[in-house]
Amino acid sequence: MTERLSQLIHDEARGLDIPAPSTDAILTRGRRTRRRQQALTGAAALAVVAVVAGGAVFAGSIGDDTARDIAPADTVDTGPSFAVGNTVYLDGGKVQATIADKAVKSLYYTSAGTLVRHGENDFSDRGGPQRFSLVTPNGDVLPVSVVTEETVPGVDPDQPYLAYAVITDGRVEVVVHDITTDTEVARVPVTDDFEGGWNAPPVAIEGDLVYVGTDTAPTVVNWRTGEESSTDRVDGPLVQVSGGRSVVQRADDHLTVLDVATGEMLDLIELPPSEYGTVLLSPDGRYAMVGDQVADPGGESADTTVRTIGSGDEVVLDGPSYDWGWTADGDLFRITGKGLQTCAADSGICDTTPLPDGLSAEAAEVKLGGQLYES
């Protein structure tokens, strides 16, 4: 290329009006890429897991013939997910799906879509059988052949698994179910006993580890290898682990947020002056919602504090914490008289969009994704 031609090309390029890239698009793509990489890593590992002697632990390939028509992990973005009655709304209401059951109990974010726990009513305690369905980002409803009762399951937003515990012949077992293939991929016996207020101990899952709220101390099970240990980095029996972080109660009405891998204390959070004060981590573990999980009988509602873990930065949002849900990527949302309000957890900046036609803020039996309904 001659020097003159090169100069002409550069002069022309400088005169072009090129719009700035969308920050939201870049962030969304980055999050999706991260999830895709983790999903591919997990799939590769699962494909080579060997059967453990005795058959107590087993795993199957994600890519077997039982796979259902699920979108790739890097296209999954269900946005704010909520339910009214037995209708589930994804992406703030842009996608709707009907669950073939009486009511929705709770919603969980997974790498394959929004997992719905449903049954004869919207109760979590003494509510009868708990059934599950996967709602994909395009609104397809895929039943999951798992039925539990009076138990607290666990999911990981970056994986397509549902984890739960059962008691078989008096012994606790951890079960991991692939919701994309609707197959059980692991069943691991746990040494410790459980005599708590559920039919089986509550669990949380992250990566290869399932945290089980057993009697003496939470048990950690590697569901791929069957390796088991106990931990003091997670509270039980209602275990809470998100983004590699856990919430642990202290005797002085403070909660600590720990790195579950190292035990490092990442944050110290003072509970609200209420016997029902709670701290609920975002699904990605970056933020904590601090508030009151029970309505004030006097009619006054406390505000909700949202804290960035580790920095101590806080923003305050109107209304009690039970009115707010999480998105998978750590934004907050709620249904108001003006529409669906979505807020950034780090800045408190909010945006309101209209609700789907026919839906109002007074709708009964509203369930929000990322909110804790188990007790």
Side-chain angles (χ1 to χ4, degrees):
M1 182 182 296
T2 68
E3 182 178 346
R4 175 59 180 161
L5 180 58
S6 175
Q7 183 64 45
L8 288 173
I9 292 173
H10 282 83
D11 290 344
E12 182 66 21
R14 281 196 294 269
L16 294 176
D17 183 15
I18 302 174
S22 165
T23 302
D24 289 343
I26 292 172
L27 290 174
T28 299
R29 181 62 184 170
R31 289 164 179 163
R32 290 175 178 174
T33 300
R34 172 178 58 84
R35 289 184 178 178
R36 177 63 171 166
Q37 289 170 340
Q38 290 176 330
L40 289 173
T41 300
L46 184 56
V48 299
V49 171
V51 176
V52 175
V57 184
F58 56 88
S61 170
I62 288 178
D64 62 19
D65 293 337
T66 62
R68 297 184 284 180
D69 187 17
I70 305 292
D74 62 349
T75 66
V76 169
D77 183 6
T78 54
S81 297
F82 60 94
V84 179
N86 65 340
T87 302
V88 175
Y89 300 85
L90 307 186
D91 199 11
K94 296 176 184 177
V95 177
Q96 301 181 20
T98 300
I99 302 297
D101 214 335
K102 299 290 181 59
V104 169
K105 295 176 180 289
S106 56
L107 303 107
Y108 312 95
Y109 297 111
T110 77
S111 67
T114 298
L115 181 65
V116 183
R117 182 173 64 104
H118 51 87
E120 299 295 322
N121 50 61
D122 67 343
F123 308 155
S124 284
D125 298 327
R126 297 179 296 279
Q130 302 175 143
R131 295 175 278 272
F132 296 87
S133 295
L134 172 65
V135 180
T136 67
N138 63 5
D140 290 339
V141 179
L142 305 177
V144 177
S145 58
V146 171
V147 180
T148 63
E149 186 167 349
E150 203 72 22
T151 61
V152 180
V155 299
D156 181 342
D158 292 324
Q159 297 192 111
Y161 302 124
L162 167 66
Y164 60 98
V166 296
I167 295 182
T168 304
D169 297 329
R171 188 174 188 181
V172 177
E173 292 180 324
V174 166
V175 183
V176 178
H177 195 95
D178 187 331
I179 60 175
T180 62
T181 62
D182 194 21
T183 55
E184 184 176 305
V185 294
R187 182 176 290 257
V188 185
V190 177
T191 303
D192 200 5
D193 295 327
F194 179 74
E195 297 179 358
W198 295 271
N199 288 350
V203 305
I205 180 173
E206 279 214 329
D208 297 347
L209 303 179
V210 178
Y211 301 85
V212 191
T214 48
D215 281 346
T216 55
T219 299
V220 186
V221 173
N222 186 313
W223 63 267
R224 297 185 189 276
T225 66
E227 182 181 359
E228 177 185 329
S229 61
S230 61
T231 181
D232 59 0
R233 299 173 184 173
V234 176
D235 255 358
L238 190 58
V239 291
Q240 183 182 167
V241 181
S242 298
R245 296 166 173 184
S246 65
V247 178
V248 177
Q249 176 78 52
R250 283 180 35 146
D252 58 356
D253 291 328
H254 283 72
L255 294 176
T256 57
V257 179
L258 303 181
D259 183 309
V260 294
T262 65
E264 177 188 0
M265 189 177 78
L266 304 175
D267 214 335
L268 180 65
I269 302 175
E270 184 177 2
L271 282 172
S274 164
E275 62 178 314
Y276 300 110
T278 61
V279 173
L280 180 62
L281 292 178
S282 59
D284 60 10
R286 293 185 296 157
Y287 307 103
M289 186 194 309
V290 185
D292 195 324
Q293 285 296 95
V294 176
D296 184 347
E300 297 183 2
S301 296
D303 292 332
T304 296
T305 299
V306 183
R307 186 178 179 94
T308 300
I309 299 301
S311 73
D313 294 340
E314 294 183 343
V315 297
V316 178
L317 301 178
D318 294 336
S321 59
Y322 53 80
D323 275 352
W324 291 95
W326 289 109
T327 68
D329 289 326
D331 289 333
L332 295 111
F333 70 96
R334 67 173 177 172
I335 297 175
T336 73
K338 297 180 180 180
L340 178 70
Q341 184 180 29
T342 305
C343 303
D346 55 355
S347 67
I349 296 174
C350 301
D351 180 56
T352 300
T353 56
L355 291 171
D357 291 342
L359 188 60
S360 71
E362 290 74 32
E365 299 179 358
V366 174
K367 299 292 184 181
L368 306 174
Q371 181 56 265
L372 180 66
Y373 294 103
E374 296 83 357
S375 61

